[in-house]
Amino acid sequence: MNVFRILGDISHLLAIIILLGSALEKKEKLSWRRRTCAGISGKSQILFALVFTTRYLDLFTVFISIYNTVMKVIFLICAYITVYMIYVKFRKTFDSENDSFRLEFLLVPVAGLSFLENYSFTPLEILWTFSIYLESVAILPQLFMISKTGEAETITTHYLFFLGLYRALYIANWVWRYYTENFYDQIAVVSGVVQTIFYCDFFYLYVTKVLKGKKLSLPMPV
């Protein structure tokens, strides 16, 4: 454990809390209130739920620490609550038309790569590797949805910022562990770098627009 790992986990947890908060947000209009999950990609949340499920199967076989176990359980529960909110509780506000990314374009190559490139050809190890590869691209349906609509709700941009910050902090964690513990996990590092790259353009827009009180909007093709 080090400060970068802890801050990364906190940033990840904040991202999930913000996401759940956006789904539970109460919007007032005259005498009625409406709860909404507009602007949130349900497909990305399905992928994240799959990521946590396949990664944390070791909950039943390995005990590392109370902190580790608690964080795994929290992420699992929050992932499935989010999916439930989007597809069941607030399905009428879910923008399924714009959440149209085809998941098979991610799942098939990720599954294939997991069998070809892993540390040990065992079921748990392959599923763990699958979760690492899948997490690196799980945000793509959300980014695709934003590019398709041309804009993002402010609370959605905060969610994406903290999710991207979590990955950036984990890169710092891996650098720290390499120099202090001589530890290097090639699969996790490469996947984490790829995932962080996906956020780079968003980080720029977040700093130049959202932090200045403007709504994040993209130029739409004529």
Side-chain angles (χ1 to χ4, degrees):
M1 294 295 293
N2 58 71
V3 66
F4 300 112
R5 167 74 181 272
I6 294 172
L7 289 176
D9 288 342
I10 291 174
S11 181
H12 194 183
L13 190 57
L14 279 174
I16 294 174
I17 292 172
I18 289 171
L19 184 66
L20 285 173
S22 68
L24 294 171
E25 182 185 12
K26 296 180 179 180
K27 295 187 174 181
E28 297 186 8
K29 183 177 180 182
L30 298 179
S31 60
W32 58 276
R33 291 182 175 181
R34 178 171 61 90
R35 295 180 180 182
T36 178
C37 60
I40 301 173
S41 169
K43 291 187 175 182
S44 269
Q45 298 314 309
I46 288 175
L47 293 181
F48 281 121
L50 186 56
V51 165
F52 297 138
T53 301
T54 53
R55 182 176 304 172
Y56 298 151
L57 289 173
D58 63 354
L59 272 171
F60 304 102
T61 59
V62 178
F63 176 78
I64 298 175
S65 67
I66 293 177
Y67 172 85
N68 184 272
T69 300
V70 169
M71 293 301 286
K72 287 178 179 180
V73 172
I74 289 175
F75 288 142
L76 274 168
I77 292 174
C78 288
Y80 282 98
I81 288 176
T82 304
V83 172
Y84 168 77
M85 292 291 187
I86 293 173
Y87 287 101
V88 180
K89 187 72 173 178
F90 305 128
R91 64 184 181 277
K92 291 182 179 179
T93 65
F94 171 52
D95 186 5
S96 58
E97 181 178 349
N98 287 312
D99 191 18
S100 57
F101 194 97
R102 296 182 62 177
L103 296 186
E104 61 268 28
F105 290 164
L106 300 178
L107 291 172
V108 172
V110 163
L113 187 59
S114 303
F115 279 93
L116 295 174
E117 194 69 33
N118 54 67
Y119 292 130
S120 175
F121 203 76
T122 61
L124 280 180
E125 188 65 30
I126 290 173
L127 288 171
W128 178 86
T129 305
F130 172 82
S131 77
I132 297 297
Y133 291 150
L134 184 60
E135 187 181 18
S136 68
V137 295
I139 200 61
L140 288 182
Q142 180 69 66
L143 297 178
F144 177 78
M145 187 177 185
I146 293 175
S147 68
K148 193 172 181 181
T149 60
E151 61 182 17
E153 298 292 330
T154 300
I155 200 164
T156 305
T157 63
H158 294 328
Y159 158 70
L160 289 172
F161 172 78
F162 281 103
L163 198 61
L165 181 62
Y166 141 67
R167 296 315 305 175
L169 286 167
Y170 256 60
I171 290 177
N173 161 62
W174 293 320
V175 173
W176 177 269
R177 293 190 66 184
Y178 178 76
Y179 283 104
T180 60
E181 305 173 25
N182 198 30
F183 174 83
Y184 176 70
D185 186 330
Q186 181 176 331
I187 290 176
V189 171
V190 173
S191 299
V193 170
V194 168
Q195 185 178 0
T196 305
I197 290 173
F198 287 137
Y199 288 95
C200 287
D201 190 44
F202 169 79
F203 281 148
Y204 172 77
L205 293 174
Y206 185 86
V207 172
T208 57
K209 291 190 176 183
V210 179
L211 291 184
K212 293 182 179 179
K214 302 177 182 177
K215 188 172 184 178
L216 191 151
S217 58
L218 303 175
M220 299 298 289
V222 178

